[in-house]
Amino acid sequence: MKKYLLMIGLILMLPARGYAAPTENVVVTIAPLYSLVQGVIGDTGEADLLLKGNVSPHTFQLKPSQVAKLQKAKIVFYIGKGMEVFLVRALETLPDSVTQVSMMDQPEMTILEIREGGEWEHHDHSAHNHGEEEHRDHSADDHDEEAHHDHDEHDHHGHEHEEMGDSHIWLDPANAIVMVKAITKELSKAYPENRAQYKENALEMISKIEASDKEANAVLEPVKDKPYVVFHDAYQYFENYYGLSAVGSIVVEPGDAASAKRIATLRKKIAETGAICVFREPQFSDKLSRLVTEETTAKLGTVDPIGAELAPGPDMYPQLLKQVALELVTCLND
Ligand SMILES: [Zn+2]
Ligand SMILES: [Zn+2]
């Protein structure tokens, strides 16, 4: 009897957990994706986030410790090779034991083409800094020169992105739900004991996204036809989903320079369209955004596509949707 009571005592002392195995060695690149992954993992474990704080995936570089973490990972979740350019080389060196999951490769993902031409101009080829390591060896590639302009004298920076589409896919809440489903499928393969728990967590995550989507939509309602200019072209999915009226971006990719001619074109566009705001981004200098708004009636606003100020975790993605909506409205509706 005493032994029996002791047994019960020991069982009661075990931490209560609704899962069979801890989820371990899951690496995620950017915070919005991390939010979705962690939402599915729930309290079965904790994924590792590579890009913490106010850093852009466009300019990020892996530390050796992070490469080591990737080597030991069971699953790596990332957006796509056009987004996490810093990851491309590391992914090639990973052992077969690491499952690499690209969100861009999910069949149900909505992928929009990279916008080019006019005020969505492809990178400025005259002022552009070519010859970055990751963009070498493109000279033999067979590109559609007609669709472009004056490519003969430089490397084909950015063309990998063009072939794969616009990789800022996460600001479409329908895409986020596709991601949650893909994440659930992959995690369930890696940790089948937790399948039921992941599924339950995924359903909860999806309902949070849907609730936040409705709120964002309501917030945006009064500004949907108000024209504005963004810093870099990161918001096509958000605009497309909510029916917003962006009229241009200052640069296609951060790091691209903007020529005096382009600044003049954008100022003209602002005047012609009556653009109310030009949005800077906290990850980059606001010099260009300020320059573009000079001599125009447009105001300077701030919008952050990756939500660097938000605490990483399951609630972050739903918060990000609302935050982007509020950031736009704060300037446009003022
Ligand atoms: Zn080009
Ligand atoms: Zn971007």
Side-chain angles (χ1 to χ4, degrees):
M1 185 64 185
K2 213 173 177 182
K3 205 171 166 188
Y4 177 68
L5 283 174
L6 185 68
M7 284 271 288
I8 290 178
L10 282 173
I11 289 165
L12 290 174
M13 277 166 69
L14 288 171
R17 44 172 221 186
Y19 60 94
T23 306
E24 292 169 322
N25 300 319
V26 176
V27 179
V28 190
T29 52
I30 62 169
L33 180 55
Y34 176 83
S35 173
L36 305 176
V37 171
Q38 195 54 49
V40 176
I41 290 176
D43 45 40
T44 68
E46 208 170 308
D48 281 306
L49 172 62
L50 286 182
L51 272 81
K52 290 181 180 139
N54 204 13
V55 281
S56 166
H58 295 299
T59 50
F60 182 76
Q61 295 203 316
L62 284 171
K63 296 183 197 86
S65 63
Q66 293 176 315
V67 175
K69 197 172 265 177
L70 286 165
Q71 294 280 342
K72 286 186 293 182
K74 190 152 184 168
I75 312 181
V76 179
F77 288 108
Y78 66 104
I79 296 291
K81 287 175 180 165
M83 177 54 57
E84 293 97 334
V85 176
F86 64 86
L87 198 64
V88 173
R89 194 165 299 176
L91 289 179
E92 283 165 9
T93 68
L94 295 185
D96 292 343
S97 55
V98 186
T99 304
Q100 305 180 12
V101 186
S102 157
M103 292 298 136
M104 293 280 284
D105 287 348
Q106 303 305 317
E108 283 171 48
M109 201 67 68
T110 297
I111 308 283
L112 302 172
E113 279 179 37
I114 289 190
R115 291 190 277 207
E116 285 196 67
E119 279 63 45
W120 298 106
E121 190 53 271
H122 185 55
H123 47 265
D124 186 324
H125 287 102
S126 55
H128 189 65
N129 180 24
H130 288 283
E132 297 96 318
E133 254 195 328
E134 67 268 30
H135 293 112
R136 284 193 189 135
D137 306 315
H138 280 72
S139 47
D141 288 4
D142 182 29
H143 289 287
D144 182 4
E145 293 299 332
E146 258 188 291
H148 274 95
H149 37 101
D150 303 332
H151 280 81
D152 39 336
E153 281 179 62
H154 63 77
D155 289 339
H156 290 79
H157 173 100
H159 285 204
E160 193 182 358
H161 314 221
E162 287 157 32
E163 282 150 21
M164 294 189 294
D166 183 340
S167 55
H168 301 86
I169 53 173
W170 65 89
L171 287 180
D172 175 335
N175 273 352
I177 290 171
V178 173
M179 291 187 211
V180 168
K181 290 175 180 168
I183 291 160
T184 306
K185 199 177 108 197
E186 292 299 335
L187 284 171
S188 299
K189 273 193 255 171
Y191 296 99
E193 313 92 312
N194 296 340
R195 186 181 294 266
Q197 186 65 54
Y198 294 147
K199 202 177 170 192
E200 195 185 314
N201 295 344
L203 290 175
E204 196 180 319
M205 196 67 208
I206 288 169
S207 65
K208 276 187 198 170
I209 294 167
E210 286 170 342
S212 167
D213 167 27
K214 281 201 188 78
E215 281 184 61
N217 190 50
V219 163
L220 290 164
E221 203 56 60
V223 303
K224 286 189 175 177
D225 56 359
K226 294 195 176 178
Y228 62 94
V229 170
V230 293
F231 175 65
H232 93 285
D233 197 6
Y235 311 93
Q236 186 182 187
Y237 291 90
F238 197 80
E239 292 158 25
N240 194 56
Y241 185 86
Y242 291 108
L244 306 180
S245 305
V247 294
S249 70
I250 298 174
V251 294
V252 172
E253 289 175 68
D256 285 0
S259 64
K261 190 179 151 211
R262 180 149 174 73
I263 301 280
T265 305
L266 280 161
R267 283 180 183 157
K268 199 168 153 233
K269 183 81 178 183
I270 289 169
E272 279 169 9
T273 59
I276 295 168
C277 298
V278 171
F279 289 94
R280 62 176 289 271
E281 288 173 25
Q283 282 82 40
F284 302 98
S285 159
D286 60 7
K287 211 178 120 197
L288 279 175
S289 309
R290 287 187 185 282
L291 200 58
V292 168
T293 51
E294 273 173 24
E295 297 168 37
T296 75
T297 54
K299 293 176 291 180
L300 197 63
T302 300
V303 63
D304 179 1
I306 55 168
E309 302 294 317
L310 300 169
D315 291 333
M316 184 271 181
Y317 182 84
Q319 286 169 356
L320 176 64
L321 276 186
K322 280 187 279 179
Q323 179 175 289
V324 170
L326 283 170
E327 284 169 337
L328 293 175
V329 168
T330 299
C331 185
L332 290 172
N333 215 16
D334 189 18

